């Protein structure tokens, strides 16, 4: 056997290889360009611009002026309302996240066990998610109107003196929570898919080992759907951090002064109980012309969202790894 | 090494592009240089008019715009309704503003003027020798900011007292109240409670933040001023504010805060057929002249009267004053056909026929003296009160501020805390409020 070796000509092949590599890079970039353009225009640019505006005094209509950390100082020490708004949003993050995930999982678990009429029940439970947020909120404020709404009317017939719901600072956020739970059909469908995806053999094996329904749910179902639960929690946290439309509409309608949003002078009724962080951000940026300060709030919101998500993912990964090691 | 430098170059390019985009986005829409000439008779021009009006109100405006087009056939108008201040501001920012902008509020005027978003109309007025004295003085005032006229008044809203005439007759009351003490007294006499102690009919609803009860609507009747000569918030230094809040608290305590919250929670929307006054649940209230239109539409059987709103006991000379606000009209920065736009602005704000038609259609008060006294203005006995009020030089608008209605929100937040008993020291609370308002205002300062 003879082997022939090609003569290499370093002076000619290296540039050719380099040209090929460059062409390949260009091809890759060309294929990626739709994403690169989209990412740059709709994520990188707004993010960098927001970061820049957060250090400026900017009224939307005149060129921004650099003010250093003034907006951050005002946010931390000067604005009493932002603390209320942040506390409201934090309340929603904690309560809404837990209840939304538990409620969606609970409804999905019930539907997963149904033998008849699954399609109908699933559709009925999902339908509220299709309602536009403004329309859904208007309907809820009507239903929960303390004087004329049917909810308190029903409670009265049962001998219960219903709360003032959206008109009471203590009940406004729980009322918003009920509204959100009513419309969490999307998460419920995702949970349902995850529950139906749990291998039946695992349940059977656990049952043979003597595990009851609660034991099977705790030791089989939950670990199997952990990634979907994580998604649900992260999704709910981001949803709560961005809670805006329902809070704004419910506050305006409950105050009895529903106006065009652009004309509304007062938000957060009652007593700023429905004033969320994004709602105050919007008010500052678009009604008070403090876009620089609004950008500061947006940066803080972004950092918190990122922090929450990263923390959760790290903890869940830690938990999964520990389980795998065990 | 090579890939790192490429990454660095990429980041640098991204940062440069971003900076360029940021700079471009911040300077959209340049200011016009001086007054633009009106288009010649043969020059065909189309101008856009943005307003917040919808449905019936937009039809009223469009009819008047048709009247302008009949006079200026070369100027075609594209009327865009449902455009609030947010949308108009975005359009100006985007470099695609309407030629004429109509805003339902005077409160954003400070921002429109100080930023140059709305053009200075002074040079146009001077060039065409428009006599501003034909416009009612208070309307002249609330359409200028720090001496710069960047808007013209297009109808006004005036606030006064509405009272249920049947409730008055039942209680043997023959005269509407003129002082706050009289208002308190009549409110107590006209109030009816249910057997369980809850409020059935409120003589006067003293809850700030409910219906048209707001600090800015009440303040003129106590002679309370928002700002001092230096432009600083003066709620803590002007004793009239304390007088207003103390008067209010006395009435709140008469009803009981919890009962008031329960009562207001069950009231219908302010701008609907279910309005509490229209349904007989409130015997007296403060509201604008537009309410007469709502009553005509939704409660024509209601017997009611109107009068100037009562004033502080120690300031009887204020009787006849009131809160005033209005629709304003201007030419945004970067308007494509500013010359033609000015022709329309001048027509809508100074032509008596146009103002009378608009006023009758929208149930708002015309803003020129001639239109105000024009016999064609539809005036019921109740509506006449507001026309008379508008003739009063004591009417008080809310001062425009560079941060729009931010100070109103602060004052209303404080009012809610005060009336619900969360404020112990009123004076200290108002001084804190001053600091808060001034700090928020300074945020927009450069």
């Amino acid at each position: 056997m003879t082997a022939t070796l090609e003569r290499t000509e370093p002076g000619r092949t290296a540039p050719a290889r380099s040209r090929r590599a460059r062409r390949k890079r260009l091809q890759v970039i060309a294929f990626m360009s739709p994403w690169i353009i989209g990412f740059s225009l709709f994520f990188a640019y707004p993010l960098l611009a927001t970061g820049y505006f957060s250090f400026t005094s900017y009224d939307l209509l005149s060129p921004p002026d650099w003010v250093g950390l003034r907006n951050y100082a005002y946010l931390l020490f000067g604005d009493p309302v932002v603390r209320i708004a942040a506390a409201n949003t934090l309340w929603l993050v904690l309560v809404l996240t837990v209840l939304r995930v538990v409620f969606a999982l609970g409804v999905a678990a019930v539907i997963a066990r149904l033998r008849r009429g699954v399609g109908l029940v699933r559709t009925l439970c999902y339908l509220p998610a299709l309602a536009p947020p403004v329309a859904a909120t208007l309907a809820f404020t009507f239903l929960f109107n303390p004087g004329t709404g049917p909810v308190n009317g029903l409670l009265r017939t049962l001998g219960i003196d219903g709360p003032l719901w959206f008109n009471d600072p203590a009940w406004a956020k729980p009322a918003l929570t009920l509204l959100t739970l009513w419309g969490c059909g999307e998460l419920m469908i995702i949970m349902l898919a995850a529950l139906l995806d749990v291998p039946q053999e695992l349940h059977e094996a656990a049952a043979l080992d003597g595990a009851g329904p609660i034991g099977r749910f705790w030791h089989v179902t939950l670990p199997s759907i952990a990634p979907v639960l994580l998604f649900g929690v992260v999704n709910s946290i981001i949803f709560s951090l961005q809670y805006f439309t329902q809070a704004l509409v419910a506050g305006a309608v409950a105050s009895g002064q529903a106006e065009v949003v652009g004309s509304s002078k007062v938000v957060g009724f009652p007593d700023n109980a429905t004033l969320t962080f994004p709602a105050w951000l919007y008010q500052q940026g678009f009604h008070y012309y403090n876009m620089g300060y609004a950008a500061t709030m947006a940066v803080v919101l972004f950092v918190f969202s990122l922090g929450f998500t990263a923390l959760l993912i790290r903890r869940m990964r830690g938990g999964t790894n520990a389980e795998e090691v065990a | 090494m090579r890939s790192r430098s490429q990454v660095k170059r990429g980041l640098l390019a991204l940062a440069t592009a971003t900076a360029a985009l940021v700079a471009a986005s911040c300077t959209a829409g340049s200011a016009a240089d001086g007054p633009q000439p009106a288009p010649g008779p043969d020059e065909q021009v189309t101008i856009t008019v943005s307003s917040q009006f919808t449905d019936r109100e937009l039809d009223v405006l469009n009819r008047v715009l048709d009247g302008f087009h009949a006079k200026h056939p070369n100027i075609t108008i594209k009327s865009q309704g449902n455009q609030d201040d947010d949308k108009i501001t975005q359009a100006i920012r985007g470099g695609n503003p309407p030629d004429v902008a109509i805003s339902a509020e005077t409160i954003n005027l400070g921002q429109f003027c100080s930023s140059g978003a709305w053009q200075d109309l002074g040079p146009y007025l001077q060039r065409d020798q428009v006599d501003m004295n034909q416009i009612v003085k208070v309307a002249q005032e609330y359409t200028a900011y720090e001496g710069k006229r960047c808007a013209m008044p297009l109808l006004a809203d005036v606030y006064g007292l509405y009272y249920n005439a049947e409730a008055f007759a039942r209680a043997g009351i023959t005269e509407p109240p003129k002082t706050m003490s009289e208002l308190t007294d009549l409110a107590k006499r006209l109030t009816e409670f249910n057997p369980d102690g809850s409020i059935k009919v409120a003589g006067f609803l003293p809850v700030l933040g409910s219906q048209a009860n707001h600090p800015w609507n009440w303040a003129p009747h106590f002679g309370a001023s928002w700002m001092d000569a230096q432009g600083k918030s003066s709620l803590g230094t002007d004793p009239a504010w304390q007088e207003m809040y103390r008067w209010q608290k006395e009435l709140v305590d008469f009803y009981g805060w919890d009962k008031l919250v329960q009562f207001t929670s069950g009231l219908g929307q302010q701008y609907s057929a279910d309005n509490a006054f229209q349904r007989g649940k409130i015997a007296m209230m403060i509201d604008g002249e537009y309410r007469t239109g709502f009553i005509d539409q939704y409660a024509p059987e209601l017997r009611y009267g109107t009068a100037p709103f009562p004033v502080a006991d120690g300031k009887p000379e204020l009787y006849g004053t009131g809160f005033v606000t209005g629709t304003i009209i201007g030419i945004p920065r970067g308007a494509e056909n500013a010359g033609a736009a000015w022709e329309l602005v001048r027509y809508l704000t100074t032509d008596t026929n146009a103002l009378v038609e608009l006023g009758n259609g929208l149930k708002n008060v015309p803003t020129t003296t001639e239109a105000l006294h024009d016999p064609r203005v539809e005036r019921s006995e109740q509506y006449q009160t507001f026309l008379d009020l508008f003739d009063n030089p004591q009417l008080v608008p809310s001062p425009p501020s560079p941060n729009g209605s931010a100070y109103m929100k602060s004052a209303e937040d404080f009012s809610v805390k005060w009336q619900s008993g969360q404020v112990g020291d009123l004076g200290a609370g108002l001084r804190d409020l001053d600091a808060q308002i001034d700090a928020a205002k300074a945020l927009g300062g450069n």
Side-chain angles (χ1 to χ4, degrees):
Chain A
M1 279 184 69
T2 54
T4 52
L5 289 172
E6 276 185 35
R7 236 173 74 188
T8 52
E9 291 178 53
R12 287 176 65 184
T13 48
R17 201 177 297 152
S18 164
R19 268 201 303 277
R20 272 201 304 276
R22 199 178 306 135
R23 201 177 304 134
K24 197 169 181 182
R25 268 204 304 276
L26 283 173
Q27 276 178 348
V28 171
I29 290 171
F31 278 114
M32 286 179 69
S33 59
W35 177 85
I36 292 171
I37 292 168
F39 178 81
S40 306
L41 278 179
F42 300 116
F43 185 78
Y45 163 64
L47 190 64
L48 291 172
T50 303
Y52 167 69
F53 287 141
S54 73
F55 296 103
T56 66
S57 171
Y58 179 37
D59 64 7
L60 281 170
L61 296 160
S62 319
D65 279 332
W66 186 265
V67 293
L69 293 170
R70 193 178 73 179
N71 292 331
Y72 288 90
Y74 182 70
L75 187 143
L76 288 174
F77 309 111
D79 184 0
V81 181
V82 79
R83 282 169 233 154
I84 300 167
N88 288 337
T89 294
L90 193 63
W91 190 99
L92 290 171
V93 166
L94 296 174
V95 176
L96 209 54
T97 301
V98 173
L99 291 183
R100 192 166 178 257
V101 172
V102 169
F103 185 73
L105 182 62
V107 174
V110 170
I111 293 175
R113 296 179 73 86
L114 285 178
R115 291 284 171 263
R116 281 183 186 176
V118 179
L120 178 68
V121 176
R122 197 169 49 201
T123 307
L124 287 176
C125 290
Y126 179 71
L127 268 180
L130 297 176
V134 173
T137 312
L138 285 172
F140 251 68
T141 46
F142 164 74
L143 291 171
F144 285 79
N145 184 300
T148 55
V151 172
N152 273 16
L154 184 68
L155 289 174
R156 263 193 297 276
T157 57
L158 298 172
I160 301 168
D161 204 7
L164 298 178
W165 301 110
F166 292 105
N167 290 73
D168 184 342
W171 277 94
K173 284 190 285 292
L176 284 174
T177 304
L178 286 176
L179 165 64
T180 307
L181 294 183
W182 175 74
C184 74
E186 281 170 12
L187 189 60
M188 181 271 295
I189 287 289
I190 293 168
M191 295 285 185
L192 181 62
L195 287 175
L196 294 175
D197 214 27
V198 178
Q200 195 57 33
E201 310 88 72
L202 292 178
H203 279 292
E204 287 166 3
L208 284 174
D209 286 344
I214 294 172
R216 288 205 301 276
F217 183 77
W218 191 255
H219 294 291
V220 176
T221 307
L222 276 185
S224 302
I225 65 167
V228 178
L229 277 179
L230 172 66
F231 167 80
V233 171
V234 172
N235 175 276
S236 297
I237 287 175
I238 293 172
F239 176 85
S240 308
L241 283 169
Q242 295 177 341
Y243 206 79
F244 177 79
T245 309
Q246 295 90 332
L248 216 60
V249 174
V253 176
S255 72
Q257 298 173 57
E259 291 177 287
V260 179
V261 171
S263 314
S264 178
K265 291 186 201 71
V266 177
V267 290
F269 180 88
D271 199 9
N272 284 330
T274 58
L275 187 69
T276 62
F277 197 82
W280 189 232
L281 185 160
Y282 177 82
Q283 192 77 2
Q284 284 287 349
F286 293 99
H287 285 176
Y288 302 160
Y289 302 94
N290 291 327
M291 188 48 83
Y293 181 55
T296 306
M297 293 177 68
V299 168
V300 170
L301 188 63
F302 175 74
V303 169
F304 266 87
S305 304
L306 202 67
F308 264 123
T309 311
L311 188 75
L312 266 169
I313 289 174
R314 174 172 277 206
R315 284 188 74 91
M316 287 299 279
R317 274 192 186 152
T320 312
N321 290 343
E323 228 167 62
E324 279 169 7
V325 169
Chain B
M1 283 299 286
R2 197 173 168 185
S3 66
R4 270 188 197 169
S5 77
Q6 278 176 336
V7 169
K8 274 185 189 171
R9 276 208 301 274
L11 283 174
L12 191 65
L14 187 64
T16 312
T18 305
L21 273 168
V22 170
S25 73
C26 298
T27 53
S30 59
D33 296 317
Q36 303 297 303
D42 299 328
E43 194 183 343
Q44 292 298 320
V45 173
T46 300
I47 58 173
T48 51
V49 178
S50 287
S51 68
Q52 83 289 356
F53 298 124
T54 56
D55 304 327
R56 185 189 66 81
E57 291 189 327
L58 187 61
D59 291 341
V60 172
L61 175 70
N62 289 343
R63 276 202 302 276
V64 177
L65 294 179
D66 288 344
F68 173 80
H69 180 61
K71 282 191 171 179
H72 302 264
N74 60 323
I75 302 177
T76 305
I77 300 171
K78 195 175 151 197
S79 174
Q80 300 172 323
N82 200 19
Q83 303 292 306
D84 58 31
D85 286 4
D86 286 3
K87 290 177 186 165
I88 292 172
T89 303
Q90 290 303 319
I92 296 170
R93 279 198 68 233
N96 187 28
D99 295 291
V100 175
I102 297 175
S103 169
E105 294 278 353
T106 61
I107 198 63
N108 292 326
L109 186 81
Q111 182 54 233
F112 294 154
C113 276
S114 62
S115 65
W118 284 28
Q119 293 184 31
D120 185 0
L121 301 178
Y124 286 100
L125 291 162
Q126 205 172 6
R127 184 193 69 186
D128 295 348
Q129 297 183 330
V130 176
D131 179 14
M132 283 302 287
N133 288 327
Q134 66 185 302
I135 290 169
V136 175
K137 194 164 174 289
V138 70
Q140 289 182 46
E141 287 167 10
Y142 68 64
T143 45
Y145 178 70
E146 293 183 345
K148 190 174 170 186
R149 170 157 303 287
C150 53
M152 291 283 279
L154 179 71
L155 307 181
D157 289 327
V158 187
Y159 285 72
L161 176 79
Y162 282 77
Y163 59 90
N164 187 314
E166 283 178 19
F168 266 41
R170 278 199 304 272
I173 301 164
T174 53
E175 289 272 310
K178 288 188 174 173
T179 65
M180 292 299 169
S181 294
E182 289 174 17
L183 178 62
T184 305
D185 178 48
L186 295 194
K188 290 175 181 175
R189 284 170 62 187
L190 292 165
T191 296
E192 296 173 39
F193 291 98
N194 289 310
D196 64 357
S198 60
I199 302 165
K200 185 180 178 189
V201 174
F204 178 79
L205 193 61
V207 181
L208 282 164
S210 179
Q211 307 293 308
N213 296 305
H214 299 289
W216 50 93
N217 286 355
W218 285 9
H221 304 281
F222 290 84
S225 57
W226 288 94
M227 293 178 194
D228 61 18
Q230 284 73 44
K232 297 281 184 194
S233 178
S234 60
L235 283 87
T237 51
D238 184 347
W241 285 100
Q242 288 208 32
E243 189 183 354
M244 183 186 103
Y245 280 115
R246 290 194 197 287
W247 168 81
Q248 184 235 10
K249 192 68 165 60
E250 184 198 332
L251 208 44
V252 167
D253 291 344
F254 162 74
Y255 288 103
W257 176 243
D258 290 342
K259 285 180 189 171
L260 281 171
V261 173
Q262 184 85 38
F263 180 70
T264 53
S265 300
L267 299 180
Q269 294 290 309
Q270 191 185 348
Y271 301 112
S272 73
D274 276 342
N275 174 276
F277 180 76
Q278 291 162 200
R279 298 291 295 266
K281 290 184 175 176
I282 296 175
M284 295 182 288
M285 69 167 186
I286 190 169
D287 213 338
E289 80 295 330
Y290 48 79
R291 179 61 54 195
T292 58
F294 281 92
I295 294 172
D296 288 348
Q297 186 179 357
Y298 294 122
E301 73 289 350
L302 181 72
R303 282 184 54 227
Y304 72 101
T306 58
F309 196 74
V311 297
D313 289 15
K315 297 173 183 169
E317 72 280 3
L318 288 180
Y319 191 68
T321 188
F323 175 68
V324 64
T325 183
T327 305
I328 58 174
I329 182 168
I331 305 173
R333 178 176 67 193
E336 205 175 327
N337 299 298
W342 165 247
E343 293 302 314
L344 178 63
V345 170
R346 189 172 64 163
Y347 174 80
L348 288 177
T349 56
T350 59
D351 186 279
T352 302
N353 293 335
L355 280 167
V356 169
E357 190 175 351
L358 268 177
N360 285 342
L362 300 174
K363 272 287 171 213
N364 288 151
V365 178
T367 34
T368 65
T369 311
E370 195 177 321
L372 192 64
H373 296 285
D374 192 286
R376 288 171 297 169
V377 170
E378 294 165 4
R379 53 190 82 214
S380 60
E381 186 190 337
Q382 294 93 340
Y383 194 72
Q384 183 64 43
T385 301
F386 299 96
L387 297 176
D388 293 342
L389 276 170
F390 197 56
D391 253 349
N392 189 333
Q394 292 188 105
L395 286 184
V396 184
S398 288
S401 170
N403 57 350
S405 59
Y407 70 92
M408 292 175 152
K409 160 82 176 152
S410 300
E412 187 116 312
D413 281 356
F414 175 82
S415 304
V416 171
K417 295 208 180 306
W418 162 252
Q419 64 197 7
S420 59
Q422 297 176 55
V423 178
D425 185 340
L426 179 59
L430 287 170
R431 284 192 291 279
D432 287 348
L433 180 60
D434 279 343
Q436 187 186 328
I437 289 171
D438 289 338
K441 198 172 167 187
L443 196 63
N446 300 324

